[in-house]
Amino acid sequence: MSTADLAREFLAAHSFTDPLEFLRARFDAGLAWVQYPPGLGGRGLPRTEQVEVDQVFADAGAPDNNPRRIGIGLGMAAPTILRHGTDEQRQRWLRPLWTGEEVWCQLFSEPGAGSDLAGLATRAVRDGDDWVVDGQKVWTSMAHEARWAILIARTDPAVPKHKGLTYFVLDMTAAGVEVRPLRQITGEAEFNEVFLTGVRIPDSDRLGEVGEGWAVAQTTLMNERVSIGGQAVPREGGTIGIVADLWRERPELRSPGLHAVLMDLWVQAEAARLTGVRLRQQLAAGQPGPEGSASKLLFARLNQEISALELDLLGEEGLRHDEWTLRRPLQVDFAGRTAGYRYLRAKGNSIEGGTSEILRNIVAERVLGLPPEQRADKDVAWKDLPK
């Protein structure tokens, strides 16, 4: 029986009356993410078969798990837990993560450790069966809604910066966790600062071995870049479709020069889309690699250039922006907002998920095989580095 037939058989046996119970049953049936092992939402099948399953459920109007709201959990936390978690951790976290019962956030970047993530200063000190964590994280999406967080902290300052890190799962309701809104250029507080003061994390909530946090974090980061830059979109999906529709519907805005720019960006967007298709096919055969960094790098540049073209088309009409009242959105919505919002919000695309400068280094060194940059701090203990 094909996976599509399995999905139809499941639909015939389950109603949509209680969406949460429906999603739980779908997970238990192995139709959440079919590439995962049995018992963890999957059937151990090729990743490519998930597309057919999702289409069957979508065609039937079945409730979904609002993937845009829980994207960090689906795209980053889940693959990391699957690869590095214990059996108990997988059983505890994956099901409510997929059903959307528990929202996740990512506590990686710090005020002094963004591009140089391995230089982070948040400390975790062992105290019996717990770790006591103190520090500050920044640019944390969904922290104001999250139940859990994936966290990297420094557990050994006496070794080089990449070697003294450990990866944890943090209960965001724990004592000592403070979330503050971080207002952006759009006027919204989509991101947050998170302050950790004497927060206790059980050692049972550690992912991977002590001191191997950087290796675990690579799983998260590679999946993050794929989830940002390698998403499945139809032709003229995303911002290029918005601008193309504007061109068709508003002939008075057209000029030969802008037409040339639009055509160039349309071709680049289509090439990026097809590259994303190939990347997802490669993912079906294994874990994401550095190629995802190239897709994310291209996505950021194109989104910024396309949103700028939209403003050029609209002229002073494009200068209008939403009212400036502080809001705490649950997701980024480029399609449902104004041109001014899209232009301003796109500026963050080259920062979030790895800055474009760092991604160029990754592509140069790990994809093209160019000589690595000289790094004077590579073999120096973190505690001896200039702060």
Side-chain angles (χ1 to χ4, degrees):
M1 182 181 293
S2 70
T3 49
D5 289 336
L6 288 171
R8 295 186 188 98
E9 184 178 76
F10 177 88
L11 286 168
H14 295 81
S15 73
F16 305 160
T17 306
D18 187 330
L20 179 56
E21 287 303 316
F22 177 87
L23 291 171
R24 288 172 175 169
R26 178 178 167 180
F27 182 94
D28 294 341
L31 297 171
W33 33 45
V34 297
Q35 73 273 17
Y36 277 35
L40 297 176
R43 292 173 171 265
L45 298 173
R47 184 190 301 261
T48 50
E49 296 194 28
Q50 186 65 46
V51 176
E52 294 184 10
V53 171
D54 291 341
Q55 191 61 55
V56 170
F57 281 100
D59 291 344
D64 66 19
N65 54 5
N66 195 356
R68 293 180 63 186
R69 177 173 178 262
I70 60 173
I72 293 173
L74 295 175
M76 294 171 241
T80 307
I81 293 167
L82 179 67
R83 185 171 182 181
H84 299 280
T86 64
D87 289 340
E88 183 179 354
Q89 289 170 337
R90 296 183 190 117
Q91 291 290 341
R92 164 63 186 89
W93 286 318
L94 288 179
R95 187 177 188 246
L97 180 158
W98 187 85
T99 60
E101 296 169 74
E102 296 178 342
V103 177
W104 287 65
C105 66
Q106 179 187 22
L107 298 178
F108 279 25
S109 296
E110 299 183 7
S115 297
D116 182 21
L117 178 60
L120 62 85
T122 294
R123 287 293 312 276
V125 178
R126 188 71 180 258
D127 182 22
D129 292 331
D130 292 343
W131 295 84
V132 180
V133 182
D134 291 275
Q136 179 186 355
K137 298 291 183 175
V138 74
W139 306 121
T140 309
S141 302
M142 297 302 296
H144 53 295
E145 293 286 323
R147 172 66 172 79
W148 297 98
I150 45 179
L151 164 73
I152 310 177
R154 188 163 303 283
T155 50
D156 188 353
V159 297
K161 60 184 182 180
H162 291 85
K163 298 181 180 178
L165 304 174
T166 302
Y167 197 114
F168 300 94
V169 171
L170 168 68
D171 182 349
M172 290 292 287
T173 67
V177 178
E178 180 186 0
V179 178
R180 300 181 190 173
L182 189 62
R183 200 171 192 188
Q184 300 148 239
I185 193 173
T186 60
E188 299 180 337
E190 172 196 325
F191 297 111
N192 303 271
E193 296 178 285
V194 179
F195 295 83
L196 308 170
T197 306
V199 180
R200 302 188 76 88
I201 300 178
D203 187 58
S204 58
D205 289 351
R206 168 173 47 83
L207 281 184
E209 299 300 321
V210 175
E212 294 185 2
W214 186 252
V216 179
Q218 292 310 298
T219 300
T220 305
L221 294 172
M222 293 300 116
N223 280 281
E224 177 183 27
R225 288 154 193 168
V226 170
S227 68
I228 293 175
Q231 296 180 5
V233 294
R235 176 174 288 188
E236 286 198 5
T239 51
I240 192 62
I242 294 172
V243 178
D245 287 342
L246 178 65
W247 179 272
R248 297 183 182 105
E249 296 165 4
R250 301 281 301 276
E252 75 277 10
L253 302 177
R254 301 173 188 170
S255 73
L258 291 176
H259 183 251
V261 175
L262 174 60
M263 289 305 301
D264 178 59
L265 290 175
W266 192 97
V267 170
Q268 291 188 56
E270 179 62 8
R273 185 186 73 84
L274 295 174
T275 300
V277 172
R278 183 177 64 180
L279 176 61
R280 289 188 298 278
Q281 290 172 344
Q282 292 172 338
L283 284 176
Q287 292 292 327
E291 296 83 4
S293 297
S295 290
K296 193 272 173 181
L297 177 64
L298 181 57
F299 162 80
R301 179 179 64 79
L302 279 175
N303 219 31
Q304 291 172 353
E305 292 183 7
I306 292 168
S307 63
L309 172 61
E310 185 180 15
L311 287 194
D312 288 341
L313 278 167
L314 289 170
E316 45 184 57
E317 180 184 339
L319 298 178
R320 291 202 298 263
H321 181 48
D322 303 359
E323 52 96 13
W324 214 258
T325 303
L326 177 65
R327 290 180 288 180
R328 307 293 302 276
L330 299 182
Q331 58 192 27
V332 179
D333 180 16
F334 276 94
R337 304 295 294 276
T338 63
Y341 170 87
R342 283 188 283 272
Y343 177 78
L344 293 174
R345 180 59 184 81
K347 298 303 179 186
N349 293 155
S350 53
I351 301 172
E352 57 197 346
T355 66
S356 293
E357 292 78 10
I358 292 298
L359 296 184
R360 288 189 182 96
N361 278 357
I362 292 173
V363 171
E365 295 176 13
R366 302 184 194 176
V367 179
L368 301 179
L370 298 179
E373 283 190 350
Q374 296 298 313
R375 296 177 173 88
D377 61 357
K378 187 174 181 180
D379 298 316
V380 180
W382 179 84
K383 65 181 179 62
D384 296 327
L385 294 174
K387 306 292 191 295

